[in-house]
Amino acid sequence: MSTVARFVEGPHNRRTPARRRIHLTQGRHRMSASSKVVREGVAAGLIGAFVIAVWFAIVDGLRGKILATPIMLGTSLASLFLGDVVPSDAGALLSYTLFHFAAFIAVGLVFAWIVDKAEAVPSALIGFAGLFAVFEVGWIGWTAVLSEGRYGTLSWVEVFVANLIAAGVMGWYMWRQHPALPRRVGAVLSGASEA
């Protein structure tokens, strides 16, 4: 192989050794893989947050109290930081909506990261199922604390159903992004090697 064949045109028309070019390409692949995790995580989080918002809009609508749940949760959340100062309904709604979407984006990022790792080690997704169960119990408890008392009440069943719906839709989205993963996880569950 000639010396010229081992070089390729690099940035700014400089010659870059082929070995260096491969490293640069791998670096871009790593960067795009991490940006894919962020993109999928933010999308999954936004989907989950939106689905829960719609669920509680329907529940509140059936009760004849539109936006009662996010206002109640926003007021309760504000009481943790403001003490006895009660925010306006608009302030409570806005603060809880921001908190709700930020929390779900964080959950979506963790979920996307775990799914990305499960591409290499499918049993990681099985461990995530246990983590989800712990998270679900914790989130129901946290919501019960926020919704107890002077600002209103919220049934744990409503929260549980909302989180199941959101988890199902977020899982469906991630399944669509990683169509081979469910088959690989199923193979691991049936005793196949992860290699």
Side-chain angles (χ1 to χ4, degrees):
M1 178 183 279
S2 73
T3 304
V4 175
R6 289 188 308 177
F7 286 85
V8 295
E9 290 297 317
H12 311 290
N13 293 325
R14 285 185 258 154
R15 291 184 174 191
T16 305
R19 203 158 107 202
R20 174 79 175 136
R21 187 189 77 209
I22 291 169
H23 177 70
L24 289 173
T25 304
Q26 288 172 344
R28 272 183 255 160
H29 177 69
R30 275 193 301 267
M31 182 94 77
S32 67
S34 65
S35 65
K36 180 182 177 191
V37 169
V38 170
R39 185 184 73 246
E40 289 177 356
V42 169
L46 290 173
I47 289 167
F50 182 75
V51 165
I52 286 185
V54 168
W55 165 257
F56 280 109
I58 292 168
V59 169
D60 290 346
L62 292 173
R63 289 186 182 139
K65 298 178 181 179
I66 301 296
L67 301 176
T69 298
I71 291 171
M72 180 263 302
L73 291 172
T75 304
S76 296
L77 185 64
S79 74
L80 296 175
F81 301 103
L82 303 175
D84 289 335
V85 177
V86 178
S88 67
D89 285 354
L93 176 66
L94 179 63
S95 65
Y96 187 74
T97 300
L98 292 173
F99 171 78
H100 175 78
F101 276 86
F104 266 88
I105 288 171
V107 168
L109 288 169
V110 170
F111 186 32
W113 181 79
I114 289 171
V115 168
D116 182 63
K117 298 305 174 202
E119 288 285 348
V121 183
S123 62
L125 206 53
I126 298 164
F128 177 70
L131 179 65
F132 173 75
V134 170
F135 173 78
E136 185 68 23
V137 169
W139 192 251
I140 289 169
W142 172 247
T143 305
V145 167
L146 281 181
S147 67
E148 215 173 81
R150 60 186 166 186
Y151 303 117
T153 60
L154 186 62
S155 163
W156 72 268
V157 174
E158 293 169 350
V159 175
F160 181 71
V161 170
N163 285 349
L164 282 181
I165 293 169
V169 173
M170 291 168 73
W172 174 81
Y173 169 77
M174 293 304 282
W175 182 324
R176 300 279 298 168
Q177 301 304 308
H178 302 268
L181 189 57
R183 180 180 41 77
R184 294 182 62 220
V185 170
V188 169
L189 286 173
S190 66
S193 169
E194 291 191 47

